[in-house]
Amino acid sequence: MDDIFIPLRMLNEFVYCPRLFWLEFVENQFTDSEDTIRGRFIHRNVDKPKPLTEEIENKGKARSVFLQSEKYGLSGKLDLLELENGSFYPVEYKSGGMNIDGSAWDTDLYQIAAQALLLRDNGYECHKGYIYYDKNRKRLEIIISEELLESTLLKIAEIRKLLDQDVIPKPLEDSPKCIRCSLAAICLPDETKYLSMGYFVDLRRLYPARDNTYPMYVREQGATIGKKNNQLIVRGKETSSTVSLIDISSLSIFGNIQITTQALHELLQRNIPICYFSLSGWFYGVTAGNYNKNGELRVAQYKTSIDFKKSLSISKAIVAGKIKNSRTLLRRNGKTDNKTALKELQNLIGKTAMVETFQELLGMEGSAARIYFGKFSTMLKRPLGYNFENRNRRPPLDPVNALLSYIYSLLVKDVLVSLTIVGLDPYVGFFHRMKYGKPALALDLMEEYRAIVGDSVVLGLINNSIIKESDFISSGKAVAIEENARKKVIQYYENRMDTLIRHPIFGYTVSYRRTIEVQARLLSRYVNGEINDYIPLTTR
C-alpha cells in the first residue's frame, strides 16, 4: 500500500494505539468524546486556510497549510506555519496538557517531526517546531534532530507493514489509554480480549450506559422536515417544532412526509440514518452516510455466509439465544402452570448444539415458536377482545399480533442501523438465507431481542392498560393499531430500549439499545477472526 498517503493525524494515532489507527484510518470509524470536541474548539482559529505565499509575505505566518509528500507518503494540514530568519517552523495545537515531567508526548513529537519532513520535501527549511498545549497555556520548542526523524520514518514503515498485513491489531493490554479513548465503545478492548482469550480482570465499561442521543420519529402526515442552523424543523399543517441535531441518533419517517435536500445532506454528514416506514409501520429501508469504508470486513462476512461450518455455528448460537430468552419471558410472566412448555423449551436449547444441518435447526426453531406462542396468552392479563392462539402476520388478525408486527418493525430498524454503523452488510445473513430485499443479517441479530424487547413491550402495553381495545381498527380480517395509539406504542418501545440491565457476560450496566451495537460489533469480531465464538445476549 505504498500509494496511500498517511495523514499526519493518523501517525499520531498509530503511536498512541495501532488499533485506534486501524479503526479510524482503515475502517473509517469515529465518534466524538469530550477531548475531540475540545480539540476542535482549540483549532477553531487555525482551521481557516489562506494561500501560503500571501499569508507568509503579509504576516510571516500561515494557518491551516496543507502539504503532501510522495517521497514519504505523508499528507496533512499544519495548524500554523511561521517564518523566522528564512526558516519555517510548524506550530501544532493540542487541547490537552503536556507530560507530567513537562515534556512533550511521544505521539506529538512524531507528528511535529512528520510536519518537518513534509516541509523539507516541499522545499522549505525547517529545523525546529513548537507544540502548544492549551491546558498548560504553553509552547514547547521541539528541535528536529536526525534521531527524531529516523524514529519517525521507522514509525511510518511500521504503518505500511501493518496495512500490508491487513489484520486489525489486538487491543492494548489493560491500558489506561482506553479510558479516555473516544473509540472505546467501538474497539471494545476488554470484551474482545475476554472472548478471544477466555479471561479478564476487572472488566471496564469504557462507554456510557445509555446513549446521549435519541431516535426522532415524525408521524404527522403532510409534514415537512427542514434544517435551520444546527436544528431540524418539522413543519405541520398548524404547528412546527425544532430539535437540535446534536440530540438525534436516527430519524424515522412514517407515511407521507417530506424532507428537504438540505436536511438530508446535514443528516448524512453527521452520520444520522434516516429510516422510512409506511403509515402502518412497514419498514421500507434506510438512508445512511459513509459509515464504514472497510470492504474487507464485508468480504469476510460474505465468506462466512457461504462457509457451512461457520454459518451453522453462528446460527445455532442465534437460535439457542432466542429460545432461552423466550423461555425466560414465559417463566417470569406466565400466569398458569407452564412447566411442560418450559421443560420442552429447555430440551430444545440443549438440542440446538447437536444439530448438523440448517433444516434440523429450522425445525427446532419452529417447534420452539409453536410452544412459546401457544402459551403466550398465559402472560396476558387482558385479551383485548380476541383470543390469541398463534403468531400470524401479513396481515395480523388480532390486536396482539398487530402489536408484535409493529414492534418487530421498529426493532429490525434499530438492528439494521447498528449493523450498518459497524460496517456489516445487513442483507447477507447466516441463519436467515438471502432473499431479494430481505435484511437477513438484521433478522439474525434481531432474534435474541424478540422476546426480551419486542414481546416484553407488547406485554407491558397490554398488562398495564396502556393500550386498549379501542386503540385498534379492523378492515376485513386484518387488525391494525389506530393512528393516535401508535405514539404510545413507540414511546413504550423507546422506554424499553432505554432500560438498563446488567450485561450477562461482562457484568456492567448498560441499556438494551447499547447492547444491540455491542452485539453487532462482537459479531463483526467473530467474522474477522478476532474472537472464537459469537455469544448471543440472554437474560436470566
Side-chain angles (χ1 to χ4, degrees):
M1 295 192 177
D2 293 337
D3 58 334
I4 294 179
F5 285 92
I6 299 168
L8 293 172
R9 191 175 69 83
M10 288 297 105
L11 174 62
N12 184 299
E13 305 288 45
F14 177 81
V15 176
Y16 186 83
C17 171
R19 187 177 177 89
L20 174 63
F21 160 82
W22 182 277
L23 291 171
E24 286 199 30
F25 186 64
V26 178
E27 297 191 10
N28 195 39
Q29 301 270 13
F30 184 77
T31 186
D32 270 319
S33 68
E34 179 183 346
D35 291 337
T36 61
I37 294 172
R38 177 178 170 81
R40 280 202 298 274
F41 179 77
I42 297 302
H43 282 80
R44 69 194 185 282
N45 290 326
V46 295
D47 285 345
K48 300 174 181 177
K50 291 183 179 180
L52 175 58
T53 305
E54 176 188 325
E55 282 213 288
I56 288 292
E57 290 178 353
N58 295 340
K59 299 180 180 179
K61 63 177 65 175
R63 290 182 173 88
S64 193
V65 178
F66 181 82
L67 293 175
Q68 186 168 291
S69 168
E70 291 189 9
K71 178 180 178 180
Y72 299 115
L74 291 173
S75 67
K77 184 172 60 178
L78 283 59
D79 290 343
L80 182 64
L81 184 62
E82 297 183 349
L83 175 63
E84 183 181 273
N85 299 324
S87 180
F88 293 81
Y89 55 89
V91 182
E92 177 65 24
Y93 283 71
K94 295 297 178 184
S95 63
M98 60 185 67
N99 210 330
I100 193 170
D101 61 1
S103 63
W105 297 99
D106 286 347
T107 53
D108 303 334
L109 287 174
Y110 284 115
Q111 189 170 356
I112 207 75
Q115 292 180 13
L117 288 172
L118 276 176
L119 284 166
R120 292 183 181 186
D121 194 47
N122 280 273
Y124 301 105
E125 185 178 343
C126 178
H127 301 290
K128 67 178 181 179
Y130 290 92
I131 302 172
Y132 176 78
Y133 287 104
D134 183 69
K135 187 172 287 187
N136 306 103
R137 302 289 181 179
K138 186 176 180 180
R139 267 192 184 194
L140 290 184
E141 183 181 83
I142 308 298
I143 302 300
I144 309 299
S145 66
E146 290 302 316
E147 181 181 0
L148 178 56
L149 291 175
E150 288 176 7
S151 297
T152 303
L153 291 172
L154 284 175
K155 290 297 179 184
I156 295 170
E158 288 177 21
I159 290 176
R160 298 211 174 277
K161 183 179 179 181
L162 174 62
L163 293 173
D164 288 337
Q165 290 174 343
D166 201 29
V167 177
I168 185 172
K170 292 182 179 180
L172 298 178
E173 287 286 336
D174 197 28
S175 173
K177 293 180 180 179
C178 301
I179 296 173
R180 294 192 66 86
C181 179
S182 64
L183 265 65
I186 295 172
C187 175
L188 299 178
D190 293 357
E191 294 88 342
T192 300
K193 183 173 66 177
Y194 168 62
L195 293 177
S196 62
M197 302 178 185
Y199 72 90
F200 66 89
V201 178
D202 296 330
L203 190 144
R204 306 162 294 178
R205 191 195 71 218
L206 298 173
Y207 52 88
R210 289 190 177 100
D211 290 335
N212 55 10
T213 58
Y214 295 92
M216 176 179 175
Y217 294 86
V218 182
R219 298 170 42 256
E220 184 180 349
Q221 299 307 287
T224 299
I225 303 169
K227 168 193 169 289
K228 183 178 181 181
N229 298 325
N230 292 317
Q231 294 181 320
L232 283 187
I233 302 175
V234 181
R235 293 186 174 89
K237 295 178 180 178
E238 298 180 357
T239 61
S240 66
S241 59
T242 60
V243 180
S244 295
L245 282 157
I246 198 173
D247 295 327
I248 303 172
S249 62
S250 66
L251 172 65
S252 293
I253 299 172
F254 290 77
N256 299 315
I257 294 167
Q258 305 299 316
I259 181 169
T260 66
T261 302
Q262 292 85 350
L264 192 61
H265 286 178
E266 186 67 26
L267 290 166
L268 293 176
Q269 288 175 4
R270 292 172 179 259
N271 279 335
I272 299 173
I274 305 99
C275 305
Y276 303 94
F277 294 82
S278 69
L279 181 60
S280 61
W282 182 261
F283 181 45
Y284 287 139
V286 61
T287 300
N290 293 323
Y291 278 104
N292 194 297
K293 298 177 182 178
N294 183 14
E296 294 294 331
L297 175 62
R298 289 186 286 281
V299 169
Q301 176 191 351
Y302 303 148
K303 289 180 178 178
T304 302
S305 71
I306 59 176
D307 184 314
F308 178 83
K309 185 176 180 180
K310 288 184 177 181
S311 197
L312 183 62
S313 175
I314 298 175
S315 299
K316 290 195 289 186
I318 288 169
V319 172
K322 176 184 180 179
I323 300 174
K324 284 181 183 178
N325 287 333
S326 299
R327 183 183 184 277
T328 298
L329 193 70
L330 184 61
R331 176 174 56 81
R332 288 178 178 177
N333 297 280
K335 302 304 179 184
T336 59
D337 185 3
N338 289 327
K339 288 184 178 180
T340 300
L342 293 174
K343 185 176 180 180
E344 290 175 343
L345 290 173
Q346 187 62 48
N347 289 338
L348 286 171
I349 293 169
K351 290 179 179 179
T352 57
M354 297 181 288
V355 301
E356 297 182 352
T357 67
F358 280 98
Q359 288 73 20
E360 290 179 83
L361 191 60
L362 283 166
M364 288 187 181
E365 187 217 17
S367 296
R370 284 191 294 273
I371 295 167
Y372 170 68
F373 282 113
K375 293 293 183 178
F376 196 88
S377 61
T378 68
M379 297 187 283
L380 299 172
K381 291 181 180 179
R382 298 180 301 113
L384 294 177
Y386 290 76
N387 290 322
F388 179 86
E389 297 179 356
N390 53 48
R391 178 77 178 108
N392 55 68
R393 55 199 179 99
R394 296 182 186 176
L397 304 178
D398 58 77
V400 175
N401 274 296
L403 285 170
L404 288 170
S405 293
Y406 194 81
I407 294 297
Y408 289 166
S409 189
L410 298 178
L411 183 56
V412 76
K413 172 262 297 184
D414 284 326
V415 174
L416 188 147
V417 166
S418 291
L419 291 169
T420 303
I421 290 172
V422 169
L424 292 166
D425 186 338
Y427 289 89
V428 179
F430 306 114
F431 178 56
H432 291 85
R433 309 317 294 171
M434 281 186 291
K435 184 180 179 181
Y436 184 81
K438 178 171 120 177
L441 188 62
L443 294 172
D444 282 354
L445 185 56
M446 176 181 163
E447 294 294 1
E448 59 204 73
Y449 288 93
R450 283 185 185 269
I452 57 178
V453 172
D455 301 352
S456 178
V457 168
V458 172
L459 295 179
L461 287 166
I462 296 173
N463 293 342
N464 294 320
S465 299
I466 297 170
I467 290 292
K468 303 175 181 178
E469 289 182 45
S470 58
D471 290 320
F472 298 89
I473 54 177
S474 298
S475 177
K477 291 184 177 181
V479 175
I481 307 170
E482 196 269 331
E483 173 62 22
N484 292 329
R486 290 173 191 157
K487 182 177 181 180
K488 294 186 288 185
V489 174
I490 291 172
Q491 184 61 56
Y492 201 88
Y493 169 79
E494 289 300 329
N495 289 341
R496 180 62 175 175
M497 291 290 278
D498 207 35
T499 300
L500 294 178
I501 63 167
R502 182 168 294 279
H503 198 287
I505 302 173
F506 306 130
Y508 48 59
T509 302
V510 65
S511 70
Y512 276 114
R513 185 179 300 282
R514 278 286 193 188
T515 65
I516 292 177
E517 184 176 338
V518 170
Q519 291 302 113
R521 294 198 182 283
L522 293 178
L523 185 58
S524 74
R525 300 289 187 267
Y526 174 81
V527 165
N528 67 18
E530 274 200 90
I531 61 176
N532 300 321
D533 298 291
Y534 173 72
I535 302 176
L537 182 83
T538 56
T539 57
R540 297 176 181 176

